[in-house]
Amino acid sequence: MPSNIVENATGASRAGQPLVRARGVAKAFSGNAVLHSVDLDLYPGEVVGLLGENGAGKSTLMHILSGGLVADSGTIDLAGEPVRFGNVSDGISAGISFVHQELSVVGALSVAENLYLGRFPRTPLGFVDKVLMRASSKALLERVGAGALDPAREAGSLRAGEQQLIEIAKAAGRQPRLLILDEPTSSLTPHEVESFFSYVRNAREAGTAIIFITHRLEEALGLCDRLVVLRNGAIVSERKPAETSREQLIADMTGKPAIYDYKPRAIDENAVALSLRNVSDGVHIEDISLEVRRGEVLGLFGLVGAGRTELLDVIHGVRPLKSGYLTLNKRTFSPRDPSEAVKSGVVLVPEGRKTAGILPQHSVRDNAAISSLRRFASRFFSDRSGEASRIAAFTKSLGIRMANDMQPISTLSGGNQQKVIFARALMAEPQLLLLDEPTHGVDVGAKADLYTIIAQAAERGLTVLMASSEVPEILALCDRVAVLSKGRLAGILERSEMSEDRILTLAFREH
Ligand SMILES: Nc1ncnc2c1ncn2[C@@H]1O[C@H](COP(=O)(O)OP(=O)(O)O)[C@@H](O)[C@H]1O
Ligand SMILES: [Mg+2]
């Protein structure tokens, strides 16, 4: 290994000089700017994942690097020399192979003819050397994990994934210095993806620089040495797979903050906080049995009308129980009204802020204090400063953005109002927090904050039962999910069983 090659943190070799150095690359189509001053270095022996939403400019940038398009401005150096490609063949002669997103296999030709299109091997007499072509085609196909394909077959008769492999083999056959793969795996089977990955790893070993464009973040995280995210024509991040996550990458791609990333909690299966046995209200919900463990966040999912709110209302003493029973900390629990529930440590944050009992003209401080007034009652008038400092501590820890806590709550954004309602609920020091659509109608930033607040409260041992109609929210936060359908329990999924598909399948179950 030459002495100017250093090991980067991901183990890939980085030559002192990049193979490709792009600076200030910009491109507009009829006045519409698609790339703004892109700087990108690509090193031999490195796989760079290029990520971005549709339309971010990934393919356009690749067309510029490979000669298919000319940039409006900016420079490209190849191995230290400035280059200016006029067309694709200039790029190919310079050692750049581009496997396009769209298939361009010629259907009427054989697999072998496609692989050697434009550069058929010849016999000394000038005829196409079919024997050599077939043999080397076979070897090429094997290299990309497509050894099972017959080089003599008509390419048009192959399925999309096989045609894709021909394109990859064709690019590999040119022994490129830079290999660009634009969504190569979209039509491959999982087995083909595996073989293709081994080819990419071998090419990296051999010193090829590789750009891999994909929408499959797991693939990018598993294969690449470096991940570059393009958003609206500009590079917004460069990350190492070991130091990032799916959520972070999605946040980079979309420009929206990462929502909460689920982290497992240690929950004692025997520490049952709330138990429901054959609970019915005689109207909306029927025969529901479930348990919530201490410190657990149990999701309650269902379609509109499934009975989520009604079930929470029964637990909170708003709606009378017709049959069945409840226990709280293994003791019978039958609150006749919400104040009894609150006394037992069960607090509800209801659906919809407007109905949640906020007093719009009253201050943030008064609104936060309402349900904990009882706790302050004996010293309410004598110790307003104690109350004020406690509320201040809560509003600060929940990141409520406001000028001061004496301003009317109605002057806060929806997300911040919801945080005040959370502050109120948490200040009552509940054992069990019932949440009904806790982030409905709040923006993504406040949503992420609320998720953190809920997760942190659970970490401290608070038990949470959270009704939600958003599957991503359930997946972001819950340790398990109970799915209701038409007033009945359709099933409970453990964390390891939770997926959008399974949750929705249960939600649509007809009993
Ligand atoms: N030849 C073209 N003429 C006009 N607009 C184009 C052309 N090629 C791409 N675009 C536009 O440029 C933007 C970026 O496209 P593209 O580079 O294909 O993005 P990506 O590959 O990231 O999905 C899109 O808005 C697309 O419509
Ligand atoms: Mg594209």
Side-chain angles (χ1 to χ4, degrees):
M1 196 182 272
S3 60
N4 66 338
I5 293 187
V6 292
E7 288 281 302
N8 72 13
T10 54
S13 306
R14 257 197 185 187
Q17 172 179 288
L19 174 69
V20 176
R21 164 162 291 192
R23 286 294 175 271
V25 170
K27 179 78 188 170
F29 292 110
S30 27
N32 181 25
V34 164
L35 292 174
H36 313 267
S37 190
V38 170
D39 294 348
L40 185 64
D41 288 345
L42 302 167
Y43 291 84
E46 185 189 29
V47 183
V48 173
L50 183 63
L51 308 175
E53 293 188 309
N54 285 330
K58 305 180 294 294
S59 296
T60 303
L61 180 60
M62 296 305 105
H63 282 296
I64 291 171
L65 291 185
S66 59
L69 278 173
V70 178
D72 298 338
S73 54
T75 58
I76 295 170
D77 291 356
L78 191 66
E81 297 295 320
V83 287
R84 204 166 170 81
F85 300 142
N87 52 48
V88 176
S89 19
D90 289 352
I92 291 174
S93 335
I96 299 175
S97 278
F98 186 179
V99 177
H100 292 251
Q101 202 169 358
E102 309 81 30
L103 296 171
S104 59
V105 162
V106 183
L109 297 181
S110 71
V111 170
E113 284 162 342
N114 268 284
L115 289 175
Y116 285 92
L117 199 61
R119 52 185 192 111
F120 290 151
R122 303 273 168 183
T123 62
L125 294 177
F127 297 108
V128 173
D129 188 341
K130 292 198 168 167
V131 177
L132 175 62
M133 198 160 86
R134 287 214 179 142
S136 42
S137 294
K138 192 83 191 151
L140 254 185
L141 290 166
E142 269 162 15
R143 249 170 69 194
V144 302
L149 277 184
D150 177 1
R153 253 182 87 178
E154 198 183 274
S157 70
L158 301 170
R159 57 181 180 77
E162 291 166 327
Q163 294 194 10
Q164 184 72 279
L165 289 168
I166 297 174
E167 304 256 13
I168 294 166
K170 187 171 158 187
R174 297 197 190 109
Q175 311 274 17
R177 289 199 278 176
L178 171 63
L179 175 60
I180 301 172
L181 300 157
D182 197 350
E183 297 191 39
T185 57
S186 51
S187 49
L188 300 187
T189 65
H191 180 71
E192 286 169 342
V193 169
E194 268 315 305
S195 319
F196 162 68
F197 277 14
S198 0
Y199 159 68
V200 171
R201 291 191 179 104
N202 289 337
R204 166 171 61 193
E205 280 297 300
T208 313
I210 296 155
I211 298 187
F212 177 50
I213 298 179
T214 184
H215 284 298
R216 300 180 182 170
L217 297 180
E218 285 75 13
E219 288 185 353
L221 285 162
L223 184 68
C224 300
D225 302 305
R226 185 156 58 106
L227 299 171
V228 173
V229 176
L230 200 59
R231 183 171 82 229
N232 296 332
I235 290 178
V236 293
S237 74
E238 283 205 31
R239 299 184 187 277
K240 293 193 176 120
E243 294 164 11
T244 188
S245 64
R246 261 181 73 83
E247 284 67 26
Q248 180 67 66
L249 294 168
I250 292 170
D252 290 345
M253 285 161 59
T254 60
K256 294 174 189 149
I259 63 162
Y260 192 79
D261 190 3
Y262 177 80
K263 291 178 199 69
R265 279 172 280 268
I267 293 157
D268 177 359
E269 298 213 356
N270 298 315
V272 176
L274 174 77
S275 138
L276 274 58
R277 283 284 161 262
N278 313 106
V279 164
S280 303
D281 71 347
V283 190
H284 292 101
I285 53 173
E286 205 179 331
D287 198 27
I288 292 180
S289 298
L290 56 85
E291 288 177 347
V292 197
R293 296 147 190 171
R294 185 162 312 120
E296 178 178 45
V297 181
L298 179 70
L300 197 56
F301 184 84
L303 306 173
V304 172
R308 289 164 302 162
T309 298
E310 289 77 6
L311 186 62
L312 293 181
D313 282 349
V314 166
I315 302 169
H316 201 238
V318 177
R319 180 175 278 276
L321 193 64
K322 177 85 180 299
S323 59
Y325 67 95
L326 288 76
T327 68
L328 186 67
N329 297 324
K330 305 198 170 155
R331 287 207 222 117
T332 306
F333 175 58
S334 52
R336 279 165 301 184
D337 56 42
S339 69
E340 270 194 30
V342 172
K343 262 183 226 153
S344 309
V346 178
V347 168
L348 171 73
V349 174
E351 188 176 6
R353 285 183 302 281
K354 297 245 159 46
T355 57
I358 66 163
L359 306 170
Q361 299 316 317
H362 283 248
S363 68
V364 170
R365 187 190 295 182
D366 283 350
N367 270 285
I370 298 170
S371 81
S372 51
L373 288 184
R374 201 171 305 93
R375 207 167 280 281
F376 292 118
S378 56
R379 54 201 155 93
F380 188 58
F381 294 103
S382 60
D383 188 18
R384 287 224 65 159
S385 68
E387 177 213 43
S389 62
R390 194 151 175 277
I391 290 173
F394 262 97
T395 50
K396 183 156 182 273
S397 75
L398 300 191
I400 298 173
R401 271 177 286 278
M402 58 187 172
N404 68 70
D405 69 4
M406 295 311 283
Q407 79 188 78
I409 191 169
S410 57
T411 60
L412 267 49
S413 71
N416 281 305
Q417 290 185 23
Q418 185 70 336
K419 288 185 197 170
V420 174
I421 294 165
F422 265 69
R424 173 203 290 182
L426 295 175
M427 281 171 65
E429 294 176 5
Q431 297 182 38
L432 173 64
L433 181 63
L434 306 173
L435 300 172
D436 199 358
E437 299 284 6
T439 67
H440 187 80
V442 308
D443 66 66
V444 280
K447 212 172 223 186
D449 289 347
L450 289 168
Y451 291 166
T452 306
I453 292 165
I454 296 168
Q456 285 175 350
E459 288 296 329
R460 291 193 300 268
L462 177 67
T463 306
V464 180
L465 180 57
M466 179 181 93
S468 174
S469 51
E470 284 185 42
V471 175
E473 179 158 288
I474 298 273
L475 294 174
L477 271 175
C478 298
D479 302 298
R480 292 185 303 147
V481 62
V483 183
L484 300 186
S485 157
K486 300 193 167 166
R488 288 166 169 269
L489 185 66
I492 295 181
L493 297 174
E494 298 294 325
R495 180 74 209 180
S496 58
E497 304 169 325
M498 280 163 57
S499 68
E500 174 150 19
D501 264 12
R502 296 179 80 159
I503 292 173
L504 289 174
T505 303
L506 284 175
F508 281 102
R509 176 179 286 181
E510 304 279 334
H511 296 282

